[in-house]
Amino acid sequence: MDTVMWIFLIVGVLLACVCIAVIITTIYFFVFTVHRKPTATLENNIGANTDWCKHMDFISECRQWLNQQKSEDVFIKSDDGLRLHATLIKNKSESKKIVICFHGYTSCSTNDYVALSKFYYEHGFNLLLVDERAHGQSEGKYIGFGVLDRKDALRWIDYAVELFGGDSIIFLHGISMGAATVLMTSGLNLPDNVKTIVADCGFTSAYDVFSHILRRDYHIPKFPIMNLTDLLTKTFAGYGYKDVSTVDEVAKTNVPIIFIHGDKDDFVPTYMSEQNYKACASDKQLLIVDGADHAEAYYVNRTAYENAIVAFMVKYAK
């Protein structure tokens, strides 16, 4: 075999190895990110580096309060036939106010809202703590990253209006992936009952946050892995990473929005909330909490966090 043939053979083998590596990486990334996983806790949240140990005394106190509340498991059907679950806690004041809460990636709302539930309850709100599709007690094989969940959010809003009446006052609160969910919901045709959205450390799109994670954790450029993983997600999960952008949705909303983010967040970078805030067309506020990591803002500066929400309560939850 002459030298040229050897060169072609070596190049061919190398290209084959590269292709195999790309295929394996694509499948791994798709399974790792989009497939349903066991429910995480604050302490082992996938991908986030937040140190929850320093907050555990407060968290334990709040969890004890939450466990003492009378709650009810409620279920609805999604547009694509999934049985979706939420925990309903009715306020003893028989209030018409309700907050619908959406949790972060691999978590559940009774986990992510263990502290905020008490805050909202003490301000007269009923609590609807949603398990997003493919999380908690909700059905689903594939995680929706807000793209699919925004349609589920509409169903939960309809459920709340039916349960508490046409004069009910609704706040939407989302953390991380839940924040992306409520922001993607903001551009839909919402009933007037929805008065305020609180978006804590939300990303701009599934494509943006996955590209960031590829660079941060794997030191891999987004091409071609993102393109191929996006194709797999469209084929099996029914949506694409760029199908919905929170930036586009908040640009056409009329619902007032509070954007909250920690300046130490490296899981969902702070600039994503800043982009959403800049694009938002409605009454808005941006709160950047110094020293807070991912989803940690409430625990680092509860006063600033609560004051921001209370100001919108006074203005819109009359």
Side-chain angles (χ1 to χ4, degrees):
M1 185 179 296
D2 59 25
T3 303
V4 175
M5 291 300 294
W6 272 111
I7 293 174
F8 275 111
L9 179 61
I10 293 171
V11 170
V13 170
L14 290 175
L15 287 174
C17 290
V18 170
C19 290
I20 292 171
V22 167
I23 291 171
I24 292 174
T25 302
T26 298
I27 294 173
Y28 167 79
F29 194 63
F30 169 71
V31 172
F32 179 77
T33 55
V34 180
H35 270 249
R36 184 184 190 122
K37 295 168 185 60
T39 300
T41 65
L42 287 174
E43 297 88 342
N44 67 3
N45 189 285
I46 295 175
N49 298 317
T50 307
D51 178 14
W52 292 106
C53 294
K54 56 190 175 184
H55 306 300
M56 288 314 297
D57 288 345
F58 176 64
I59 291 170
S60 297
E61 177 187 330
C62 293
R63 188 172 298 281
Q64 183 178 7
W65 176 89
L66 185 61
N67 291 338
Q68 291 173 347
Q69 305 312 304
K70 183 179 180 181
S71 64
E72 178 184 354
D73 291 317
V74 295
F75 298 89
I76 62 171
K77 282 286 186 181
S78 69
D79 288 345
D80 52 351
L82 297 178
R83 189 170 186 250
L84 303 177
H85 168 265
T87 299
L88 174 65
I89 300 176
K90 292 183 178 179
N91 199 288
K92 62 182 179 181
S93 66
E94 297 185 0
S95 169
K96 288 286 189 176
K97 297 186 292 187
I98 182 167
V99 58
I100 309 178
C101 300
F102 298 86
H103 59 78
Y105 181 58
T106 76
S107 189
C108 64
S109 282
T110 52
N111 183 43
D112 284 4
Y113 290 88
V114 65
L116 278 161
S117 291
K118 187 172 185 288
F119 161 72
Y120 274 113
Y121 189 91
E122 289 176 345
H123 283 82
F125 279 76
N126 301 282
L127 311 173
L128 189 61
L129 310 177
V130 172
D131 285 345
E132 298 198 54
R133 59 172 55 217
H135 291 80
Q137 296 184 52
S138 290
E139 292 180 342
K141 184 176 181 180
Y142 301 108
I143 298 172
F145 288 98
V147 179
L148 301 179
D149 309 273
R150 67 188 188 132
K151 296 180 180 179
D152 302 337
L154 280 180
R155 289 294 186 104
W156 285 117
I157 292 168
D158 290 341
Y159 171 85
V161 173
E162 182 178 351
L163 183 63
F164 291 97
D167 58 345
S168 57
I169 294 171
I170 296 175
F171 276 35
L172 303 180
H173 195 129
I175 297 175
S176 190
M177 187 186 75
T181 295
V182 296
L183 292 177
M184 291 178 185
T185 304
S186 72
L188 300 176
N189 186 21
L190 301 178
D192 292 337
N193 307 79
V194 179
K195 303 300 184 182
T196 293
I197 291 173
V198 182
D200 183 342
C201 62
F203 50 79
T204 47
S205 70
Y207 183 89
D208 291 342
V209 74
F210 288 160
S211 298
H212 168 71
I213 295 301
L214 269 180
R215 291 191 304 268
R216 188 194 73 164
D217 293 349
Y218 303 99
H219 309 290
I220 297 174
K222 59 186 178 182
F223 179 84
I225 302 300
M226 285 300 300
N227 305 74
L228 295 173
T229 311
D230 182 60
L231 180 61
L232 284 179
T233 306
K234 286 180 179 178
T235 302
F236 293 100
Y239 69 94
Y241 291 162
K242 293 183 177 181
D243 280 359
V244 183
S245 161
T246 57
V247 175
D248 293 338
E249 296 306 305
V250 299
K252 57 188 179 184
T253 190
N254 60 1
V255 180
I257 301 178
I258 305 170
F259 300 92
I260 303 173
H261 220 114
D263 70 342
K264 301 298 183 185
D265 193 343
D266 189 39
F267 186 51
V268 177
T270 309
Y271 72 78
M272 292 192 179
S273 279
E274 293 171 341
Q275 288 181 356
N276 285 324
Y277 174 78
K278 184 177 180 180
C280 183
S282 61
D283 187 11
K284 57 189 177 181
Q285 180 178 350
L286 175 64
L287 173 63
I288 304 298
V289 177
D290 293 340
D293 209 321
H294 187 64
E296 195 187 16
Y298 184 63
Y299 299 91
V300 171
N301 194 338
R302 292 199 295 275
T303 299
Y305 200 114
E306 292 178 355
N307 286 346
I309 298 176
V310 168
F312 274 57
M313 286 181 184
V314 171
K315 195 170 183 180
Y316 298 108
K318 298 179 182 178

